[in-house]
Amino acid sequence: MQKIMIIEDDPAVRRELSLLLENEGYQVLAVSDFMDILSQFQTFDPDLVLLDLGLPDEDGFTLCMKLRNISRVPIIFITARDSSMDELQALNLGGDDYITKPYNIPVLLARVKMVLRRAAGTQEPDRLEAKGLSISLSGGIACAGGQTIELTRNELRIMAHLMQHPGEIVSRTELIDILWDNHIYIDDNTLSVNITRLRGKLEEIGLPDYIKTRRGMGYQI
Amino acid sequence: MTFSKFIEDRLGRLLLHGSLVAGAAVFLLLTGTQPGILLLLLLLWGVFFVGSQVIEFLRFRNHIRELASILENLDRKYLFMECVPKPTTLQEEILFDLMRQAGKSMVEAVSDAQATTKEYREYIESWVHEIKTPITAARLICRNTDEKTRRKLTVELAQIENHVERALYYARAESPEQDFLVRQISLEDIAAEALEHHRSLLIQSGLRVETENLAHVVYTDGKWVCFLLGQLLQNAVRYQGEQPVITLSAKPLGNQVQLTVSDNGIGIPAHELPRVFDRGFTGSNGRSRGGSTGMGLYLCRKLADQLGIQLDIQSVEGQGTRVRFTFPASH
């Protein structure tokens, strides 16, 4: 399990953020004693630090420098300060990302995932396989039973997400969020159109009903 | 200042002088001075008198010109009294002292006002940063409520956030010191940030977003431009029509870059178009749909001016609105 350390002085945000990340399957340490953060850091040894800029004793910038002296752990700044100057300083001090409050929860989770993946050096696999279908993300194609079809960027992203969660029900809002994370600005209607086209294409290569609709809940493969 | 004005100003003195000389001449003539000598005296007097007047005029004119050029070259005109040369005449010295006292009190008043504005602005900035933490907490807490409540609350929270952002940028736009940071940044990144910021608003309103050819680099403050785009996105949602679409596209224009944001919303009536950038102007659409503050586009214009971005708007009622940003050339 990946470990995330939260350094945030507002108790409500701290509590809710920990809950959110725990629900997402991370192990979380939310610092509530700001006196000796460095030793808490060394004991917990996190894979990622979420760092607020405005802290009671020393500010996030100073703390970031201290952390950088002893570790190369990924650091995401989470702050209400939104000027370009603050962001530049944060990134110059070795921050990996900079998110301003109030953040969208899906955006926050996507950024956390991205920074963790980058730090681990793992890349998204290019080839995905599930239930008799395989797709190539770089080639933009899907194959089944020796037949190949080309997929558009949107279709590819939808398929990739469904295939990463075989058997699970994926809601429409979740799919829309995933597409937005990939800078595909899709709305509910366009999603329906894309799913319909995708189904048509899958039917061509002998996979009708590959994507099942779960009424009122979403899609499933 | 002309010579005739100069003479006019001292006409009384000159007439007195002239009549005294005339009186003296009559007296001398009556007491037996030879007319030839008298004529010589009058001639000598005349030359000296006219000469001295001309010299005085030239001196005076130079002095005035010097003062005028000092004022002209001053960035802050109210500091004039601090910069003028030391007075030479008694009258000037007294005036100078009085003016200086007046000037001093003016400078104090101005710097007091500036300090107050600065403090106020700093308070607004810190207040905005403070309020963002509870909004964040509320957003996170929202997650635990049922889907319907969450959606509604998310929309309301986003509204609060947008109002707060406008207050922050209002404070920034009104202050003379500019605190933006011009950097090389791609329009793609700015657009992505603005869209991400308004993600829930855009998804829930069913507005389709299209981006075209945004791979252009501009030199500007990304956060400010992100705020400007945000205002346009909010407007596109508020004034949307049937099957709403907003398109963000860019093209090079010489060595400048032009970003166009166009929507197919209800548009702006032609007679209201010239006033949309005015402070507090809410058009007939704003009044009928509600929720308009009259600040969004005003702030856009103001911030764009400071960033050196040219902003123009075109709209056809019932068809849509197009706003173009022309970014300054890179150096």
mmCIF file of all heavy atoms in Angstrom, chain B residues 142 145-155 204:
data_model
loop_
_atom_site.group_PDB
_atom_site.id
_atom_site.type_symbol
_atom_site.label_atom_id
_atom_site.label_comp_id
_atom_site.label_asym_id
_atom_site.label_seq_id
_atom_site.Cartn_x
_atom_site.Cartn_y
_atom_site.Cartn_z
ATOM 1 N N CYS B 142 -18.807 17.313 1.507
ATOM 2 C CA CYS B 142 -19.850 17.065 0.510
ATOM 3 C C CYS B 142 -19.856 15.632 -0.012
ATOM 4 O O CYS B 142 -20.888 15.069 -0.332
ATOM 5 C CB CYS B 142 -19.540 17.937 -0.692
ATOM 6 S SG CYS B 142 -20.733 19.125 -1.038
ATOM 7 N N THR B 145 -22.220 13.068 1.329
ATOM 8 C CA THR B 145 -23.675 13.178 1.238
ATOM 9 C C THR B 145 -24.158 12.418 -0.001
ATOM 10 O O THR B 145 -23.343 11.971 -0.811
ATOM 11 C CB THR B 145 -24.103 14.657 1.107
ATOM 12 O OG1 THR B 145 -23.471 15.181 -0.063
ATOM 13 C CG2 THR B 145 -23.693 15.459 2.307
ATOM 14 N N ASP B 146 -25.481 12.291 -0.129
ATOM 15 C CA ASP B 146 -25.983 11.553 -1.286
ATOM 16 C C ASP B 146 -25.750 12.340 -2.562
ATOM 17 O O ASP B 146 -25.549 13.561 -2.537
ATOM 18 C CB ASP B 146 -27.481 11.238 -1.101
ATOM 19 C CG ASP B 146 -28.300 12.499 -1.051
ATOM 20 O OD1 ASP B 146 -28.243 13.204 -0.005
ATOM 21 O OD2 ASP B 146 -28.961 12.818 -2.040
ATOM 22 N N GLU B 147 -25.783 11.643 -3.660
ATOM 23 C CA GLU B 147 -25.419 12.187 -4.973
ATOM 24 C C GLU B 147 -26.114 13.503 -5.302
ATOM 25 O O GLU B 147 -25.500 14.460 -5.738
ATOM 26 C CB GLU B 147 -25.755 11.118 -6.037
ATOM 27 C CG GLU B 147 -25.608 11.593 -7.463
ATOM 28 C CD GLU B 147 -24.276 11.157 -8.074
ATOM 29 O OE1 GLU B 147 -23.742 10.143 -7.610
ATOM 30 O OE2 GLU B 147 -23.814 11.842 -8.988
ATOM 31 N N LYS B 148 -27.448 13.531 -5.024
ATOM 32 C CA LYS B 148 -28.225 14.713 -5.417
ATOM 33 C C LYS B 148 -27.807 15.948 -4.611
ATOM 34 O O LYS B 148 -27.558 17.020 -5.173
ATOM 35 C CB LYS B 148 -29.714 14.416 -5.181
ATOM 36 C CG LYS B 148 -30.621 15.128 -6.159
ATOM 37 C CD LYS B 148 -32.052 14.656 -5.982
ATOM 38 C CE LYS B 148 -33.016 15.808 -6.162
ATOM 39 N NZ LYS B 148 -34.340 15.469 -5.622
ATOM 40 N N THR B 149 -27.714 15.756 -3.303
ATOM 41 C CA THR B 149 -27.281 16.870 -2.449
ATOM 42 C C THR B 149 -25.870 17.309 -2.828
ATOM 43 O O THR B 149 -25.565 18.501 -2.870
ATOM 44 C CB THR B 149 -27.278 16.443 -0.967
ATOM 45 O OG1 THR B 149 -28.430 15.662 -0.727
ATOM 46 C CG2 THR B 149 -27.250 17.629 -0.056
ATOM 47 N N ARG B 150 -25.035 16.321 -3.084
ATOM 48 C CA ARG B 150 -23.648 16.643 -3.410
ATOM 49 C C ARG B 150 -23.572 17.529 -4.651
ATOM 50 O O ARG B 150 -22.872 18.530 -4.666
ATOM 51 C CB ARG B 150 -22.849 15.359 -3.629
ATOM 52 C CG ARG B 150 -21.395 15.669 -3.954
ATOM 53 C CD ARG B 150 -20.523 14.446 -3.961
ATOM 54 N NE ARG B 150 -20.759 13.617 -5.114
ATOM 55 C CZ ARG B 150 -20.919 12.304 -5.054
ATOM 56 N NH1 ARG B 150 -20.896 11.690 -3.886
ATOM 57 N NH2 ARG B 150 -21.114 11.611 -6.139
ATOM 58 N N ARG B 151 -24.345 17.139 -5.676
ATOM 59 C CA ARG B 151 -24.340 17.926 -6.907
ATOM 60 C C ARG B 151 -24.751 19.361 -6.658
ATOM 61 O O ARG B 151 -24.089 20.296 -7.095
ATOM 62 C CB ARG B 151 -25.299 17.319 -7.910
ATOM 63 C CG ARG B 151 -24.618 16.344 -8.797
ATOM 64 C CD ARG B 151 -25.440 16.057 -10.000
ATOM 65 N NE ARG B 151 -24.932 14.882 -10.627
ATOM 66 C CZ ARG B 151 -25.488 14.295 -11.668
ATOM 67 N NH1 ARG B 151 -26.591 14.801 -12.164
ATOM 68 N NH2 ARG B 151 -24.956 13.243 -12.198
ATOM 69 N N LYS B 152 -25.852 19.486 -5.914
ATOM 70 C CA LYS B 152 -26.363 20.840 -5.652
ATOM 71 C C LYS B 152 -25.352 21.661 -4.862
ATOM 72 O O LYS B 152 -25.081 22.812 -5.178
ATOM 73 C CB LYS B 152 -27.680 20.763 -4.875
ATOM 74 C CG LYS B 152 -28.858 20.349 -5.729
ATOM 75 C CD LYS B 152 -30.113 20.452 -4.900
ATOM 76 C CE LYS B 152 -31.289 19.767 -5.550
ATOM 77 N NZ LYS B 152 -32.355 19.512 -4.588
ATOM 78 N N LEU B 153 -24.821 21.025 -3.808
ATOM 79 C CA LEU B 153 -23.866 21.749 -2.971
ATOM 80 C C LEU B 153 -22.605 22.106 -3.748
ATOM 81 O O LEU B 153 -22.039 23.182 -3.566
ATOM 82 C CB LEU B 153 -23.503 20.912 -1.737
ATOM 83 C CG LEU B 153 -24.483 21.002 -0.583
ATOM 84 C CD1 LEU B 153 -24.032 20.102 0.557
ATOM 85 C CD2 LEU B 153 -24.589 22.436 -0.062
ATOM 86 N N THR B 154 -22.172 21.191 -4.605
ATOM 87 C CA THR B 154 -20.967 21.456 -5.392
ATOM 88 C C THR B 154 -21.159 22.693 -6.261
ATOM 89 O O THR B 154 -20.265 23.541 -6.371
ATOM 90 C CB THR B 154 -20.628 20.248 -6.281
ATOM 91 O OG1 THR B 154 -20.599 19.094 -5.455
ATOM 92 C CG2 THR B 154 -19.289 20.409 -6.945
ATOM 93 N N VAL B 155 -22.353 22.804 -6.846
ATOM 94 C CA VAL B 155 -22.634 23.973 -7.681
ATOM 95 C C VAL B 155 -22.586 25.246 -6.838
ATOM 96 O O VAL B 155 -21.963 26.242 -7.217
ATOM 97 C CB VAL B 155 -24.018 23.830 -8.366
ATOM 98 C CG1 VAL B 155 -24.407 25.129 -9.052
ATOM 99 C CG2 VAL B 155 -23.993 22.688 -9.360
ATOM 100 N N GLN B 204 -21.842 19.651 -15.530
ATOM 101 C CA GLN B 204 -23.241 19.621 -15.110
ATOM 102 C C GLN B 204 -24.151 20.498 -15.954
ATOM 103 O O GLN B 204 -25.336 20.223 -16.083
ATOM 104 C CB GLN B 204 -23.351 20.024 -13.646
ATOM 105 C CG GLN B 204 -23.100 18.816 -12.777
ATOM 106 C CD GLN B 204 -23.017 19.168 -11.337
ATOM 107 O OE1 GLN B 204 -23.778 19.997 -10.855
ATOM 108 N NE2 GLN B 204 -22.099 18.551 -10.636
#
